[in-house]
Amino acid sequence: MNVREFLQQNIVLLDGGTGTLLQAAGLPLGELPERWNLSHAEILKGIHQAYFDAGSNVVATNTFGANALKFSEEELEKLVAAAIENVREGAKRSLGAQEKFIALDIGPLGKLLKPYGDLDFEVAVETFAKTVRLGVKYGADLILIETLGDSYEAKAAVLAAKENSDLPIFVSCAYGEDGKLMTGASPEAMVALLEGMGVDALGINCSLGPKEMQTTVTRLLNAASVPVLVKPNAGLPEADGSYNVDEEEFAKALVEFVKQGARLVGGCCGTTPSYIESLRKAIAGIEPLPIAQKAITSVSSYTHAVYFDTPVLIGERINPTGKKRFRLALEEKDVGYVLAEGIAQQEKGAHILDVNVGAPGIDEKTELPRYVEELQAVINLPLQIDTSDPVAMEHAMRRYNGKPLVNSVNGKKESMAAVFPLVKKYGGVVVGLTLDENGIPETSEGRARIAEKIIAEAQKYGIQKKDIIIDPLAMTVSADKNAANVTLSAVKLIRERFGVHTSLGVSNVSFGLPCRDAVNAAFFALALENGLSAAILNPNSAEMLKTYYAYLALKGLDENCVEYVRFATERLTSQIQTQTAVAATPKSADCDAKSQLQTAIVRGMKTEAAALCKTLLNDRAPLEIVNGEIVPALDEVGVAYEEKRAFLPQLLMSAESAKAAFEEIRAHVLATGEQAEKKCKIVLATVKGDIHDIGKNIVGTLLSNYGFDVLDLGRDVAPEIVVKAVLETDAPLVGLSALMTTTLPSMEETVRSLKAKTPNVKIMVGGAVLTEEYAKQLGADGYSKDGMGAVRFAERIYADLCKKS
């Protein structure tokens, strides 16, 4: 029986932690554990056997960090081959009679992908692919991609697995207590992405204990139509390296997850074979719940999913058709103009943005994916990839971070043969236009027949109805008085007959008529009443938005009319502000420039931020710009991040925009000889034995933008090096980071050394394995769970220094 077959009928018992067991066996700090596959093979075989003896069906190879960024290709092959052989030998030695499978374990690469980091998406895909190919070559039964904190990196890993093997793919991500990945993705967004790409199981592991995972596990189970995987830590870490949840409590908690519908269960950090044995005994005799197929039509961005359970607004403004200024922006590669159009539509309430760059002289194959990436860097809405060019469509879908809406396919055989394989490979909800080789039918029944053909052909590719939206095509009433009636009839017919969602380009109905907004709004209301699921429209149209929010309120789709009241209030406020602005004295150009600089930084628009800062330097002192413009903008985003209204990508893009402005200030200072003020020195380091530095790098970027003089010692830094740096620079503050449980003793040693040799220095610590309580036990002066927390702590230390001086 293969693992896919076993998974459909059984609860699958996974293994537990490996790192803590290797450390207990003598793994020195700083040594890469993957090398023990060769140098200490017997120890690994013993660990794997112990998990099989405990009852594990799936045991993961010791390859969590085995990738081509850390090892030469020659060494990587030896390590992966040995790792798989070690699990195979452990299975042979085990007396357990259960089904046994070898999982090729793949962890994160340790670098942020562009645009938030410096690792290109395709480089990430190929790096993962090298490990996948070796796993296939040496006999892994499945691929387990785990502990990922970034949806884009997860997509890269899944693509690598799909393109280089036909093995089952399990994907498990590391969610925080807020239910989001490090880069902001919700459980629903990850289900949309991963399920769309066809993974065999998805879930959650690491960072949290069973209790802290409860809400996220429930959300995954409610959203997913594939088996859900749960691998908690043994609670939270204590100062002595132990964890606060024992075997009995752990097993009891996971039994509840199984009863809720979890299909794969095991442990992560701090769990051992005894935990798995207790879990095996606890779930014995429990019948797995059926894996329910949810009929959820959803698309996603890197932060959230959009469900089509209530009508969805798709912004139409990023499209050159009939828009001379937009076409000019494409020709001149004016990215700022395009981004501004996207931001404006987001602020007006669009749920999804249509992205179309098809115009004469524009290379869609290059420009469409570029604009998709640029928009995703500053906007967190899902996008509709709009093109008739299958090559451009694939390029954009491949680089898209999330599950896109794809516009479009039609009933022509050629179109379906080109588009459906892309939707199956990359995931997406595809819009089907009711036209074929014979054109657009004049009747609703004719359009329904084409819809039926599209749905049937999609199913041959494994694309379900929930991932299809039919567009019955709105035609202009100025050319045919019955055009609107036919379309409305088709919307209702298709929705009722096939149970699929529908979409329309609403404004097409009024082409050639005056006062188009009035016609569009009336048609929109009629379409909604006939079951329309999504409308491509201009979010700047007050008439369309009035119709939309009024419809939701009248149909009972807006609890307590909250959204209608919000819209009406914002509309009234906007009118008052406009009237006041007309009556008031115009602002100075300088005042406008300052406002624009803050806006550019908040929105993460680097080029605009640099240009605006350069303009301000003609009349303003550098320090005034920093304190009056840059820092307030960073604070605005920082507060939004702390209040969960913004996420890490927005924080980083704003930081990059502030950095671009700072570069202009630095250039000005060098040219004029003025002095730029710096706050105090801060030494940063990832502790000895830990090679993960994403979190530390984020902290360094934010601190630098807030004016601190950061000395980054890098990763895997010995305690004596940190102490030396503090003594040489007289830094009043040190920041230490650790991601791995095995390196907590190293952090403790570093804190102890600093306290002994530099007693006046303040120490803040952070990292996925740390808690505030644990930080206090270490003797640290402060703990931060994220970059903004580190900034706030540093600001307090600096303020204290200023008072003393």
Side-chain angles (χ1 to χ4, degrees):
M1 183 181 294
N2 65 43
V3 70
R4 284 193 177 103
E5 294 169 339
F6 186 76
L7 177 59
Q8 293 305 310
Q9 304 298 325
N10 300 275
I11 297 167
V12 177
L13 190 58
L14 307 171
D15 61 2
T18 300
T20 47
L21 297 179
L22 290 178
Q23 186 179 24
L27 176 69
L29 283 173
E31 183 169 352
L32 296 175
E34 292 79 14
R35 289 196 168 118
W36 272 41
N37 290 317
L38 291 168
S39 62
H40 296 74
E42 283 304 313
I43 291 176
L44 266 304
K45 291 173 184 176
I47 291 172
H48 299 323
Q49 179 185 343
Y51 277 121
F52 281 124
D53 286 343
S56 294
N57 300 113
V58 175
V59 171
T61 56
N62 179 37
T63 53
F64 181 79
N67 62 66
L69 298 182
K70 295 180 183 176
F71 302 98
S72 69
E73 293 193 20
E74 180 181 0
E75 184 180 18
L76 181 63
E77 179 161 7
K78 292 178 181 177
L79 293 176
V80 173
I84 292 173
E85 180 56 34
N86 290 340
V87 180
R88 185 178 291 115
E89 184 60 29
K92 289 179 181 177
R93 294 179 183 180
S94 172
L95 299 178
Q98 77 275 20
E99 293 282 347
K100 302 183 182 78
F101 304 100
I102 303 170
L104 175 69
D105 194 38
I106 294 179
L109 298 177
K111 289 179 174 290
L112 276 175
L113 274 66
K114 294 178 180 177
Y116 317 119
D118 57 5
L119 185 65
D120 184 75
F121 178 78
E122 292 299 343
V123 173
V125 172
E126 179 54 26
T127 302
F128 284 124
K130 289 175 180 177
T131 303
V132 169
R133 288 192 287 266
L134 293 173
V136 173
K137 179 177 179 180
Y138 290 102
D141 298 309
L142 65 125
I143 297 167
L144 174 61
I145 301 163
E146 63 173 343
T147 326
L148 297 185
D150 176 19
S151 59
Y152 208 26
E153 186 174 23
K155 177 172 182 174
V158 173
L159 267 182
K162 289 182 68 171
E163 292 178 340
N164 293 277
S165 80
D166 57 3
L167 295 177
I169 304 169
F170 298 172
V171 182
S172 180
C173 294
Y175 294 87
E177 287 191 72
D178 62 355
K180 298 184 183 298
L181 300 190
M182 177 183 69
T183 51
S186 68
E188 294 79 11
M190 291 309 298
V191 169
L193 168 64
L194 297 172
E195 198 173 285
M197 294 187 73
V199 304
D200 296 274
L202 57 84
I204 178 174
N205 78 291
C206 205
S207 297
L208 305 172
K211 180 181 177 181
E212 294 79 16
M213 282 187 177
Q214 176 63 67
T215 301
T216 300
V217 170
T218 300
R219 291 172 66 181
L220 289 169
L221 288 167
N222 288 341
S225 297
V226 298
V228 170
L229 175 161
V230 184
K231 285 183 64 176
N233 290 347
L236 301 174
E238 304 283 2
D240 61 2
S242 65
Y243 283 75
N244 66 359
V245 173
D246 63 20
E247 290 91 336
E248 183 179 354
E249 185 181 351
F250 183 85
K252 184 178 179 180
L254 267 70
V255 164
E256 294 305 311
F257 289 146
V258 171
K259 290 180 178 179
Q260 289 179 49
R263 187 56 72 91
L264 306 95
V265 288
C268 203
C269 300
T271 60
T272 64
S274 64
Y275 280 76
I276 301 305
E277 183 175 8
S278 295
L279 178 56
R280 173 181 59 80
K281 292 176 180 177
I283 64 175
I286 299 178
E287 288 294 320
L289 291 182
I291 299 167
Q293 295 300 305
K294 284 85 173 178
I296 298 173
T297 298
S298 66
V299 295
S300 68
S301 66
Y302 62 86
T303 58
H304 66 282
V306 170
Y307 285 12
F308 287 75
D309 51 357
T310 56
V312 171
L313 303 181
I314 304 170
E316 68 179 10
R317 300 295 298 167
I318 304 177
N319 188 321
T321 306
K323 303 181 186 74
K324 293 181 180 179
R325 179 63 186 89
F326 191 92
R327 175 183 274 184
L328 181 63
L330 292 179
E331 292 171 354
E332 296 179 346
K333 299 188 184 300
D334 184 355
V335 176
Y337 181 86
V338 177
L339 297 184
E341 282 283 4
I343 291 168
Q345 292 181 95
Q346 177 174 253
E347 291 176 346
K348 289 293 186 180
H351 305 119
I352 299 169
L353 298 186
D354 182 77
V355 182
N356 184 316
V357 297
I362 302 299
D363 181 6
E364 276 195 86
K365 301 174 187 63
T366 300
E367 294 303 289
L368 184 58
R370 184 168 80 90
Y371 278 105
V372 163
E373 289 181 313
E374 293 280 3
L375 284 161
Q376 286 206 291
V378 300
I379 292 170
N380 71 348
L381 297 183
L383 302 181
Q384 174 169 269
I385 295 171
D386 187 354
T387 179
S388 59
D389 183 339
V391 177
M393 182 181 290
E394 177 166 21
H395 288 181
M397 291 180 72
R398 186 176 182 89
R399 305 289 291 208
Y400 181 75
N401 188 356
K403 180 184 180 183
L405 189 56
V406 181
N407 191 13
S408 58
V409 71
N410 60 55
K412 297 178 182 178
K413 290 182 179 179
E414 180 183 21
S415 174
M416 293 187 287
V419 174
F420 285 149
L422 303 181
V423 176
K424 180 62 177 176
K425 179 177 181 178
Y426 297 107
V429 173
V430 63
V431 176
L433 308 182
T434 55
L435 63 88
D436 60 11
E437 288 84 356
N438 298 314
I440 302 171
E442 295 183 358
T443 66
S444 58
E445 189 63 46
R447 296 183 196 183
R449 282 195 294 270
I450 295 177
E452 184 175 26
K453 178 169 62 173
I454 291 171
I455 293 166
E457 187 66 18
Q459 289 177 339
K460 295 177 184 178
Y461 289 85
I463 300 169
Q464 300 179 54
K465 284 200 297 184
K466 69 178 182 179
D467 286 328
I468 300 170
I469 292 176
I470 297 298
D471 184 342
L473 299 172
M475 310 300 289
T476 179
V477 291
S478 64
D480 179 358
K481 68 177 182 179
N482 290 317
N485 288 327
V486 171
T487 299
L488 294 171
S489 175
V491 167
K492 185 174 184 179
L493 179 62
I494 289 166
R495 186 82 178 101
E496 293 177 349
R497 181 178 294 179
F498 306 118
V500 296
H501 288 286
T502 56
S503 174
L504 286 174
V506 175
S507 61
N508 293 340
V509 76
S510 65
F511 186 78
L513 294 175
C515 302
R516 293 185 64 186
D517 261 5
V519 177
N520 293 341
F523 178 65
F524 185 27
L526 292 169
L528 289 170
E529 184 59 18
N530 278 277
L532 184 68
S533 310
I536 304 173
L537 49 72
N538 180 4
N540 297 316
S541 168
E543 292 301 316
M544 298 297 277
L545 294 186
K546 287 177 186 176
T547 299
Y548 175 73
Y549 288 109
Y551 175 83
L552 295 183
L554 293 170
K555 294 294 288 187
L557 300 173
D558 182 5
E559 190 72 27
N560 297 319
C561 299
V562 170
E563 289 303 309
Y564 180 82
V565 171
R566 179 193 59 78
F567 164 73
T569 302
E570 289 178 356
R571 175 96 179 135
L572 179 61
T573 302
S574 176
Q575 290 173 343
I576 293 171
Q577 289 174 341
T578 300
Q579 292 167 1
T580 303
V582 170
T585 303
K587 296 179 181 179
S588 69
D590 181 57
C591 207
D592 284 342
K594 288 195 295 184
S595 174
Q596 290 168 19
L597 175 57
Q598 291 188 36
T599 299
I601 293 172
V602 168
R603 290 175 172 175
M605 302 174 74
K606 295 187 291 186
T607 304
E608 287 73 13
L612 289 164
C613 184
K614 189 173 183 178
T615 300
L616 281 179
L617 285 166
N618 293 328
D619 303 302
R620 296 288 185 183
L623 187 58
E624 184 179 348
I625 296 172
V626 171
N627 292 333
E629 300 297 331
I630 298 176
V631 171
L634 289 170
D635 276 338
E636 181 179 336
V637 180
V639 169
Y641 176 75
E642 291 167 331
E643 295 177 352
K644 309 301 181 186
R645 293 182 288 107
F647 306 102
L648 183 62
Q650 292 104 308
L651 191 66
L652 292 177
M653 292 309 296
S654 293
E656 286 297 310
S657 299
K659 182 179 178 181
F662 273 121
E663 289 301 322
E664 292 296 332
I665 290 174
R666 291 189 185 100
H668 177 84
V669 167
L670 287 173
T672 62
E674 296 180 43
Q675 294 297 312
E677 183 179 327
K678 276 282 187 183
K679 295 178 182 176
C680 64
K681 194 84 169 183
I682 299 179
V683 174
L684 296 182
T686 302
V687 299
K688 179 68 177 175
D690 203 318
I691 58 172
H692 301 87
D693 61 358
I694 289 178
K696 184 259 301 169
N697 291 345
I698 292 169
V699 169
T701 297
L702 295 175
L703 288 170
S704 294
N705 281 340
Y706 271 84
F708 289 95
D709 189 3
V710 176
L711 174 60
D712 188 343
L713 300 179
R715 56 190 182 181
D716 190 19
V717 182
E720 59 269 21
I721 300 298
V722 179
V723 171
K724 182 182 178 183
V726 173
L727 291 172
E728 289 179 349
T729 62
D730 197 28
L733 179 59
V734 172
L736 301 175
S737 173
L739 180 73
M740 302 163 61
T741 55
T742 54
T743 58
L744 289 177
S746 180
M747 178 171 279
E748 186 175 0
E749 182 185 348
T750 305
V751 171
R752 190 166 53 247
S753 297
L754 285 166
K755 291 291 185 182
K757 298 175 182 178
T758 59
N760 294 325
V761 75
K762 299 294 183 182
I763 304 167
M764 63 176 173
V765 298
V769 295
L770 288 168
T771 63
E772 187 168 7
E773 182 61 32
Y774 187 76
K776 290 177 181 177
Q777 293 175 19
L778 285 175
D781 300 287
Y783 160 77
S784 175
K785 65 180 180 180
D786 55 43
M788 282 310 302
V791 169
R792 302 305 184 211
F793 183 78
E795 291 278 18
R796 290 195 295 272
I797 298 300
Y798 180 64
D800 289 343
L801 288 173
C802 291
K803 289 177 184 177
K804 292 176 182 177
S805 61

